[in-house]
Every structure is written in structure tokens, then in C-alpha cells.
Amino acid sequence: MMSLNRSCFLGNQAIAGSSSPFSHSQKRRSASLKVVALVPKVRTSDRNGSVVMESTLQEVKDESSVVELKSTVHGGVQDVYGEDTATEDQLVTPWSVSVASGYTLIRDPHHNKGLAFTEKERDAHYLRGLLPPVVISQELQVKKMINCIRQYLVPLQKYIAMMDLQGRNEKLFYKLLIDHVEELLPVVYTPTVGEACQKYGSIFTHPHGLFISLKDKGKILEVLRNWPEKNIQVIVVTDGERILGLGDLGCHGMGIPVGKLALYTALGGVRPSACLPVTIDVGTNNQKLLDDEFYIGLRQKRATGQEYAELLQEFMTAVKQNYGEKILVQFEDFANHNAFDLLSKYGTTHLVFNDDIQGTASVVLAGLVAALKLVGGSLADHRFLFLGAGEAGTGIAELIALEVSKQTNIPVEETRKNIWLVDSKGLIVSSRKESLQHFKKPWAHEHEPVKELVDAVNAIKPTVLIGTSGAGRTFTKDVVESMASLNERPIILALSNPTSQSECTAEEAYTWTQGRAIYCSGSPFPPVEYEGKVYTPGQANNAYIFPGFGLGLIMSGTIRVHDDMLLAASEALASQVSQEDYDKGLIYPPFTNIRKISAHIAAKVAAKSYELGLATRLPEPKDLEKYAESCMYSPSYRSFR
């Protein structure tokens, strides 16, 4: 088989060295070939003065054997590679060239501008006749697309339309998402992404990320090198075992890394070409998926133990080998037992971040710090009760304990005693310690066993109730009314995603507390009218934190994540809540200013990294916030020569 050992530039402009939009692809050389060269020949012929380009491929197999193939691009293309004449059982070579011009250019999502190509660009890049004659602005394209999206009544249809746009015109996708972030965030991420993952096999058209499975064991480095972009800075990876509150979705969990990285770009300004979504497919224990003819993953039960650990070890080693020390790996939606182990194992050797444990904790802590403006006191004055003792619950609890310890100089072992957790077996107490998983043991305090949540509320008397259970409607009327009887302004955070899994709705929280609750959810709820007053529920969305957090790590060249960076991110987010937001009962700022907020968070995270000696990009910029803004990707169209 013959293949090219370098990019082949077709057309006299590209040959002359001008900057056309190139689509780079990795080419491998067959071991049997010594030299492969593409020699372009350009000549003017026929009475119309049209240009005929001849490419001669000379393949030197040895010093005496030369094979010459000719392709003439002029009206028609000769079947020089034998593709049309080959029978179905014969092999053909999938030849391609690297010039993004003409028909190729308008099908390259990185460079395509659709009807926004100028007259000059249409002439320079062979686009005449391939597009209608009108030239329109990107702003008009955004207006047209948002009108199209709004025509769909089903959220999943909107999601599919957005993913289709991302695959056709990358810059327009991000421009649309940035300009209409509050409207489209629930479409490209939670809650709609949950349904998209459940139906991923049915809606799958082409890959947006990299799939690594047990079949690739021993070859993961080679698989990573198959990805066309080489300067990767962020990887979001999942094994699909705990997708939101929906459980094991196996290979269909790819929707999560794709959605997260879309937000890294739109909200945090990380270049799309620097982002790599990865799904590690080790099977699924979801029998419904295994029986589904449209399932796209391995049809086997999940690998566990040594087989699983070895695959993850090979992946993490290959990532560092291929992309270097400063590549950020964000673990996403791993099951509890693997999530904590992976964070603990690789936290000291890699730049890793678990959004379910650390990102959720940081955004919730920010909301609690902001809520103090409404309820008074300090964090140390409050008592916290969690429903859910998994990744999110224990991660939030630990960050609260660390922040209280930092503020009061009390050991974290003591500050934990004001934080209580309830799991599926009831209140976590010391008498259960021997049977508890390791990450729950720090929260086993002295108390008699309590089975029901409402009884735990009455016994512990919390000022803050936080739901991370993944179980919908578990904050019942009795539970919420008990919180209201104990507190003038009860803080109720129903954080489980998607919307169907939320512990209670905004309407329930405001109604059952007579409008006194400070309420936030994980997925968005519409405003609620109660006794003539409109209440706007907040959303404790991780998208407030992880894009800016990641940008801060990248722009400072940080090599390890430290808890103090998470605290810095929380404080930075809390500082962005305005008095106008507080007057509405909100404890998070609106998403309309999210890129400004992300730059502020990135600056604070980078500053902490420099302070801790973990940043490698020197010297430290004088104005980190301005530097963060300057690093952000812009989705505006660029002009081509």
C-alpha cells in the first residue's frame, strides 16, 4: 500500500507558500517504501485558458524501481487509484490531499464560513458556483440559526441540530452558543445531554471524540496519535459508568466529554483544537444497552479489577507521553469506587481534576459563601446535612470543611463534625464505620442511627440541606417543611441531574417554605410565582467553575491541582454575585457574563498556582485577568488570503 509521508499541497497558491486554510492530517509511511514524493506540475492549456494541474506521484520502492501515477484535474478525474474499477473484494487506498479549498473547504468545520465567504475568498479558494451568490455576515448567520433552533419543540432535536452545526461550522457553533448562552446551555449540556446519552446510539452520525476500548490494550498511544490535532491541552474522559443520575450508559457516555469540552471553549475560551473528548469503553452492565441493536460500544459486561486498572494505567501513561506534563485530564462520570481511586492515584503524578468531586464542590461552596450575605453569619455558624454520600456529596463536604478550617484555624478533623451525610442506609454514624466505604468514614460522627431523612433533619437541625443523591423527589414536603420550621431562610440545594432526578423542584421548595427558601438546583428550573411574587431559582452549575478553572491551569502551565486552587475558584465566583442578584434571591451571577467570570476565576486560580510554586509559565504576567482574557479563543471568522 502506498501512502504519503508529507502534506501534499495542491494548487499554485499553496505551492507558492501563501497561507491557505490547511486541514492537517497525519500520514503514515509503509515500511516497504523508501521515498514518496509528490511533484506538482502546473500548465495552462485549452482555448479557455483554464489551468490544468498535473500531479505526479513517484514512489521509489528501491533504487531501480519507480512507479509513476498521474492525476489530471480538468473537467474529470481519471480513476488512477483503481477505486471505481475495483471489485468489492479488492482493496483500495483512501487517498486524500491536505489543501482546504473548494469543495473540501466548505466541508471543513474548522475553516468553513458558509455564506460568509467574501467575493475575494470565493475566487482565491475555488468556491465559485459551490455557494449561492449572496454574501452575509456571521451575525446574520447567528440570527438565522437561533431562529432555526427555536423552531424545534423537543430539546433533543435542538441538541441534534447544535451537534450538526458543530460538525459543519465550528466557529458559528461557538458564536451562537456564546451569544445565547443562557438559552442554549441547557441544550448542549444538562439536562438535554442526559437524554442524548441515553439515545446516543440512535442519534450517532459521526464521532466527535476518541473511543478507546479494551480492544486497544497495548496500542493506546497509537490510538491517541490517530487524533488529527496534536497540540492538545485538555482531555475530558469518562468510562460511562455513572452518567449524571442516569447510571451506566457505557459507550453512550461520550455525550458528556463532548458537551463539557464545548463549554470549555464557549465559556472558558480554550481553543477547540486543544480539546480532546475521550470515552474509555470497558463494557457495560446495562442489559438494556447490551440488547439494543443500535448500541455502539463493546457488548460485554464491565471489566473490573486488574484488567480495568491496567487499561487506565496505559491510558494515563500514553497521555503524558504524547502530550507532555502539562496536559489537563478531567475525569468525568466515573462510578464512586473508581473516581476516588483514580483521583488519589494520579493526583500526584498528573495534572488531573474530577469535576464531579472537585468542580461540584467548588461551585457549591461559592454559592454557600454568597448565601451568607442573605442569611448572615459565617460558614462555621452553619450546620450542613447531605442526602447522598458519593463523589459529589463527600467532595462538597470536604471542601466546606477545608474552607471553615482556613477561616477559623480549627483542624479540619474538627470542622467536619458540623457536616452530616445520609446515604441509602440512613445517617452516617460511627456505629456503621466498619461497613462504610473509605471515602465515607471521615463523616461517621457519634449519633444514634437514623433511617429516614426527615428524622435526620429533625435530629441534626441543619441550616443547609444539600441533595446529591441522584434520586428524584426525595426532598418531600415533610422534609422541606421541617427545614422551614427550623430556619427563617432555609438553604435548600437540590443538585442532582438531570431535571427528572432533582431532589425537589423550585416550585415545591418555594411553596412548602412560603417563599422563604434560598433554593438552587443542578439543572435549570423556570421562575416561580408564589402569592404574587416571582422567585427566580438559581442553578449550581459546574459550568461556572470548570471552564475558568481549566483556563487558569493552562495559561499558567500548572503541573498539579491543589485544594487551595479550588478554594480560590470558589471565592472568585462568589465575588461576582452583585447586589442586584442578591435582591432577586440569587446566589450565583447570571450566565450572560460567564466569559468575564471565567477570566476572573482563571486569574485567581493562576495566581494561587504561582503562589504555590506549581506554575511553569514564567515570568508571571503582571495582570493575570487581562492575560486570561487575551488567551481566550474568539469564534469570529478570520479572513483568508
Side-chain angles (χ1 to χ4, degrees):
M1 181 187 290
M2 294 175 289
S3 58
L4 303 179
N5 73 337
R6 67 181 67 188
S7 297
C8 309
F9 302 128
L10 184 65
N12 53 340
Q13 285 190 328
I15 294 166
S18 66
S19 59
S20 295
F22 298 120
S23 58
H24 302 285
S25 58
Q26 184 182 21
K27 305 293 181 183
R28 289 193 178 87
R29 192 186 319 178
S30 172
S32 64
L33 305 184
K34 289 185 178 180
V35 180
V36 179
L38 183 65
V39 183
K41 299 178 182 177
V42 181
R43 71 170 185 270
T44 302
S45 67
D46 76 29
R47 53 191 160 194
N48 296 319
S50 63
V51 176
V52 179
M53 291 170 287
E54 258 188 22
S55 298
T56 302
L57 180 69
Q58 292 186 335
E59 178 187 336
V60 183
K61 291 184 178 179
D62 53 49
E63 293 180 0
S64 61
S65 177
V66 176
V67 177
E68 184 175 285
L69 297 175
K70 294 187 178 181
S71 172
T72 304
V73 184
H74 178 62
V77 180
Q78 298 175 9
D79 182 27
V80 294
Y81 305 128
E83 185 172 348
D84 296 336
T85 56
T87 59
E88 289 188 2
D89 59 346
Q90 287 179 312
L91 301 179
V92 297
T93 302
W95 295 98
S96 68
V97 294
S98 296
V99 170
S101 64
Y103 197 74
T104 305
L105 179 55
I106 58 177
R107 277 158 179 75
D108 182 344
H110 304 298
H111 302 300
N112 182 28
K113 300 197 287 187
L115 294 178
F117 282 111
T118 65
E119 298 286 354
K120 183 178 179 181
E121 289 169 337
R122 295 180 189 206
D123 284 332
H125 297 286
Y126 312 102
L127 296 174
R128 287 288 175 193
L130 301 182
L131 294 167
V134 69
V135 176
I136 65 175
S137 66
Q138 189 178 28
E139 288 68 28
L140 188 58
Q141 287 181 313
V142 168
K143 182 179 179 180
K144 175 185 175 182
M145 282 307 306
I146 194 63
N147 287 338
C148 289
I149 296 292
R150 287 168 180 165
Q151 298 302 311
Y152 295 109
L153 300 179
V154 179
L156 184 60
Q157 292 175 330
K158 296 184 179 186
Y159 174 89
I160 293 170
M162 288 295 291
M163 292 301 102
D164 177 64
L165 178 60
Q166 187 181 24
R168 288 187 291 108
N169 187 330
E170 188 176 82
K171 282 186 166 62
L172 183 57
F173 169 83
Y174 287 112
K175 179 71 172 171
L176 179 67
L177 183 53
I178 291 167
D179 288 357
H180 298 274
V181 63
E182 290 191 308
E183 181 177 352
L184 295 178
L185 187 60
V187 174
V188 300
Y189 203 61
T190 182
T192 309
V193 73
E195 184 183 1
C197 288
Q198 289 176 309
K199 300 175 181 177
Y200 205 77
S202 299
I203 67 175
F204 177 84
T205 54
H206 63 278
H208 287 274
L210 202 60
F211 294 87
I212 296 174
S213 76
L214 289 168
K215 292 181 178 180
D216 303 313
K217 189 175 181 181
K219 299 179 289 185
I220 292 180
L221 181 60
E222 181 181 344
V223 172
L224 289 175
R225 288 173 175 167
N226 286 342
W227 189 250
E229 302 292 348
K230 304 307 169 192
N231 298 317
I232 301 299
Q233 295 175 316
V234 187
I235 292 174
V236 175
V237 58
T238 186
D239 69 354
E241 189 169 4
R242 192 202 61 81
I243 298 298
L244 302 174
L246 302 172
D248 186 350
L249 297 184
C251 199
H252 287 182
M254 176 58 93
I256 298 297
V258 170
K260 288 278 185 179
L261 285 167
L263 300 187
Y264 258 110
T265 297
L267 311 187
V270 179
R271 290 178 299 104
S273 60
C275 299
L276 175 57
V278 175
T279 290
I280 295 183
D281 186 359
V282 295
T284 178
N285 294 333
N286 187 331
Q287 192 60 45
K288 185 178 178 181
L289 287 179
L290 293 174
D291 296 336
D292 183 356
E293 63 177 327
F294 297 128
Y295 181 57
I296 63 174
L298 292 178
R299 294 182 184 274
Q300 66 174 65
K301 294 294 184 180
R302 279 191 171 273
T304 58
Q306 185 176 353
E307 186 179 17
Y308 179 90
E310 287 176 354
L311 191 72
L312 266 294
Q313 176 67 43
E314 184 184 348
F315 170 72
M316 295 301 292
T317 301
V319 161
K320 186 183 279 191
Q321 183 177 345
N322 203 44
Y323 301 119
E325 185 77 24
K326 292 175 282 189
I327 177 75
L328 171 60
V329 179
Q330 178 170 315
F331 296 122
E332 198 68 40
D333 287 355
F334 285 77
N336 291 341
H337 55 283
N338 289 324
F340 287 103
D341 290 347
L342 290 171
L343 193 58
S344 173
K345 180 176 181 179
Y346 295 108
T348 56
T349 60
H350 293 67
L351 182 65
V352 295
F353 171 70
N354 186 303
D355 192 45
D356 303 302
I357 299 173
Q358 298 165 299
T360 301
S362 188
V363 74
V364 172
L365 177 59
L368 293 173
V369 170
L372 297 177
K373 294 279 186 74
L374 298 174
V375 299
S378 66
L379 280 178
D381 299 325
H382 289 268
R383 182 169 288 204
F384 305 87
L385 179 64
F386 287 77
L387 176 62
E391 297 170 54
T394 55
I396 298 166
E398 184 65 15
L399 203 62
I400 292 171
L402 287 171
E403 179 68 8
V404 174
S405 175
K406 175 186 170 185
Q407 292 177 0
T408 61
N409 291 321
I410 297 173
V412 70
E413 292 78 14
E414 289 298 313
T415 62
R416 288 186 185 129
K417 293 179 180 178
N418 227 18
I419 304 171
W420 298 78
L421 279 68
V422 173
D423 65 7
S424 60
K425 295 181 174 62
L427 190 66
I428 295 179
V429 293
S430 54
S431 60
R432 293 178 52 197
K433 202 163 190 176
E434 293 304 314
S435 62
L436 292 173
Q437 292 166 286
H438 67 88
F439 54 86
K440 295 182 181 180
K441 289 184 178 182
W443 312 104
H445 309 318
E446 287 293 335
H447 198 282
E448 62 185 28
V450 178
K451 179 65 177 174
E452 301 298 329
L453 177 61
V454 65
D455 296 329
V457 169
N458 291 325
I460 302 302
K461 296 179 172 51
T463 56
V464 181
L465 179 64
I466 301 175
T468 61
S469 63
R473 304 302 182 267
T474 43
F475 287 176
T476 63
K477 186 177 182 181
D478 288 345
V479 169
V480 175
E481 287 182 343
S482 292
M483 284 294 295
S485 69
L486 292 168
N487 304 281
E488 179 61 30
R489 298 295 306 274
I491 300 174
I492 299 174
L493 309 182
L495 303 179
S496 293
N497 290 313
T499 310
S500 60
Q501 305 305 112
S502 184
E503 285 77 9
C504 71
T505 67
E507 184 177 7
E508 289 167 343
Y510 292 124
T511 302
W512 294 338
T513 63
Q514 297 81 49
R516 292 186 284 119
I518 297 170
Y519 174 84
C520 273
S521 58
S523 291
F525 281 102
V528 175
E529 184 175 348
Y530 176 76
E531 293 189 350
K533 184 177 179 181
V534 176
Y535 296 86
T536 304
Q539 186 187 359
N541 195 321
N542 290 20
Y544 278 115
I545 289 290
F546 72 81
F549 188 83
L551 177 62
L553 299 177
I554 292 168
M555 73 183 205
S556 59
T558 297
I559 57 172
R560 298 291 180 271
V561 171
H562 192 281
D563 285 339
D564 284 355
M565 298 175 192
L566 298 170
L567 297 177
S570 296
E571 292 164 4
L573 176 57
S575 71
Q576 298 298 293
V577 185
S578 68
Q579 187 58 50
E580 183 182 352
D581 300 325
Y582 286 126
D583 292 342
K584 296 177 182 177
L586 296 174
I587 55 176
Y588 292 102
F591 266 105
T592 48
N593 299 322
I594 187 60
R595 280 174 68 101
K596 189 79 176 173
I597 294 167
S598 293
H600 182 68
I601 292 171
K604 296 299 182 183
V605 169
K608 183 59 68 174
S609 180
Y610 281 108
E611 180 186 325
L612 295 170
L614 295 172
T616 62
R617 188 157 287 123
L618 300 172
E620 177 182 349
K622 292 181 180 179
D623 190 328
L624 283 168
E625 191 161 341
K626 281 187 178 179
Y627 180 64
E629 291 174 354
S630 72
C631 290
M632 284 183 158
Y633 165 82
S634 169
S636 298
Y637 289 144
R638 301 291 297 275
S639 296
F640 299 148
R641 292 192 183 92

